[in-house]
Amino acid sequence: MKPASFDYVVPSTVAEAVQALGGTDRTAQVLAGGQSLILEMHLQRIRPQLVVDINRIPELDGMRVDGDELRVGALVRHATFESADAVPGPLGTLLSRAVVNIAHPPIRSRGTMAGSFGWAHPASEWCAIGVALDATVEVTGPDGARSLPARDYFLGPYRTARRPQELITAVRLPLLGENTGVGFVEHRRTHFCFAQVAVAAALTVTDGVISDARIGLVNSADRPLRARAAEQVLIGADFAPLPEGPRLPDGHPFARAGRAAAQEDATPIAEPYADAEYKRQAIAVLVGRTLTEAATDLRSRLAPRQGGPR
Ligand SMILES: Cc1cc2nc3c(=O)[nH]c(=O)nc-3n(C[C@H](O)[C@H](O)[C@H](O)COP(=O)(O)OP(=O)(O)OC[C@H]3O[C@@H](n4cnc5c(N)ncnc54)[C@H](O)[C@@H]3O)c2cc1C
């Protein structure tokens, strides 16, 4: 199918883009990477009367460390994060492990992190990481700039607290310290499908005890989810060596956290190839695996400093 007809503008500043979005009573869409929008327009599931192409706005490009946060401009493409060195510390590792699960290279070379926040698909890897880490979404509209905490930003599938006249200018993510280990594990039907379920985790250890745990669940509810019940199982637990063998014992904190995530945090929505019970089982297993990956990551990070793994 072809898209319905629409007007098209290419502003060169944020102010011009906001003016275009705010100065119309027509339905408007922002064109960033176009990797969701163009497809939806071709299917005529979205029929904007105006498309505001932000790709020629230099101030939206680039990312930088700003204090203890990474500020990712609205034109930074997914592919930027494929190298763990693009971002300092464990945050770079987490983003690089997650990004390879987003579609395939041509889509990653155009699609943007901010576009994923704009689209707000419950199966978005970036959005679950944003919720888990307490990211902030920067928006600018006719009434000025606002900072929206990710925990309040997602309202449901494709629904957010951003007003239609507002432009996302950046996403801010907190940097993670060297005593944090990270993991990301995804389950999907084929390489090019969205996740049936995926899990992001960041475990922080202080004096041999888990002092902070962040767990983000992908496609486990009608929006990206932070698994707070699972996190509570972990906080205060000893950061003990992992048991031998392919399966975690039922009583291990990571296994208990997996069950808490599946039973208390998640409210999975059935899909054609994954009903809600299947998803709950997958969440329980994947949380355990992701925490194991995070623990292994942290041990490898600590080993050079301590002369060997603890
Ligand atoms: C085959 C295929 C597989 C995919 N697999 C995955 C996957 O596994 N995981 C995943 O997360 N994504 C996946 N995607 C989606 C892809 O990651 C998109 O890049 C992403 O959803 C949107 O980013 P974009 O920059 O392309 O945004 P666009 O397509 O340009 O825009 C998407 C929406 O966000 C809004 N928007 C974009 N930027 C802004 C902004 N700065 N301010 C306000 N609103 C904005 C637009 O108005 C539009 O409604 C897939 C896409 C395809 C085609």
Side-chain angles (χ1 to χ4, degrees):
M1 265 207 282
K2 297 277 181 222
S5 65
F6 58 91
D7 290 335
Y8 174 73
V9 294
V10 190
S12 52
T13 64
V14 168
E16 285 175 19
V18 168
Q19 194 174 28
L21 287 169
T24 177
D25 52 12
R26 295 173 294 172
T27 54
Q29 287 282 338
V30 173
L31 175 67
Q35 299 305 301
S36 295
L37 179 63
I38 299 298
L39 175 71
E40 295 295 319
M41 286 173 64
H42 274 276
L43 294 172
Q44 295 208 4
R45 290 196 292 224
I46 296 184
R47 296 162 60 103
Q49 294 162 313
L50 174 68
V51 170
V52 179
D53 182 345
I54 59 170
N55 283 276
R56 307 271 172 81
I57 305 181
E59 62 197 285
L60 293 178
D61 211 353
M63 64 180 177
R64 62 169 193 269
V65 171
D66 197 357
D68 55 4
E69 290 182 318
L70 178 74
R71 185 180 185 280
V72 182
L75 284 176
V76 174
R77 315 288 165 176
H78 302 317
T80 308
F81 302 98
E82 287 176 14
S83 161
D85 297 334
V87 173
L91 181 62
T93 307
L94 177 61
L95 299 180
S96 69
R97 287 185 186 178
V99 71
V100 290
N101 295 285
I102 300 177
H104 46 77
I107 288 175
R108 295 201 290 269
S109 73
R110 293 298 305 164
T112 62
M113 179 184 277
S116 293
F117 279 77
W119 188 231
H121 195 296
S124 158
E125 290 81 359
W126 290 150
C127 297
I129 289 175
V131 169
L133 299 187
D134 273 333
T136 304
V137 183
E138 284 182 12
V139 298
T140 299
D143 298 330
R146 299 194 291 154
S147 290
L148 306 174
R151 64 176 169 275
D152 303 329
Y153 175 79
F154 297 101
L155 304 180
Y158 315 109
R159 289 198 307 118
T160 73
R162 179 183 73 86
R163 298 178 189 129
Q165 306 84 356
E166 287 177 326
L167 180 72
I168 300 172
T169 48
V171 175
R172 297 202 312 266
L173 292 158
L175 295 171
L176 301 173
E178 285 300 323
N179 59 339
T180 298
V182 295
F184 191 94
V185 179
E186 177 155 321
H187 179 59
R188 61 193 154 179
R189 282 184 63 232
T190 73
H191 190 70
F192 302 123
C193 291
F194 277 80
Q196 284 182 329
V197 170
V199 180
L203 278 184
T204 303
V205 171
T206 310
D207 297 331
V209 168
I210 297 174
S211 52
D212 191 25
R214 303 297 180 114
I215 300 176
L217 301 182
V218 176
N219 212 13
S220 305
D222 69 346
R223 65 196 76 179
L225 205 63
R226 183 166 170 195
R228 290 182 183 272
E231 293 173 0
Q232 285 311 311
V233 170
L234 298 168
I235 290 171
D238 281 345
F239 186 58
L242 288 165
E244 299 284 334
R247 282 197 55 177
L248 290 166
D250 282 351
H252 191 279
F254 293 176
R256 290 195 286 117
R259 291 197 296 278
Q263 299 304 331
E264 297 172 49
D265 292 308
T267 50
I269 294 168
E271 295 173 29
Y273 295 97
D275 64 21
E277 184 49 34
Y278 175 88
K279 282 192 176 183
R280 280 194 203 280
Q281 291 186 21
I283 291 163
V285 172
L286 258 58
V287 166
R289 286 188 194 162
T290 313
L291 291 169
T292 301
E293 188 177 298
T296 306
D297 176 59
L298 181 54
R299 281 181 202 291
S300 68
R301 228 174 265 287
L302 295 177
R305 284 196 274 153
Q306 296 178 343
R310 291 170 64 203

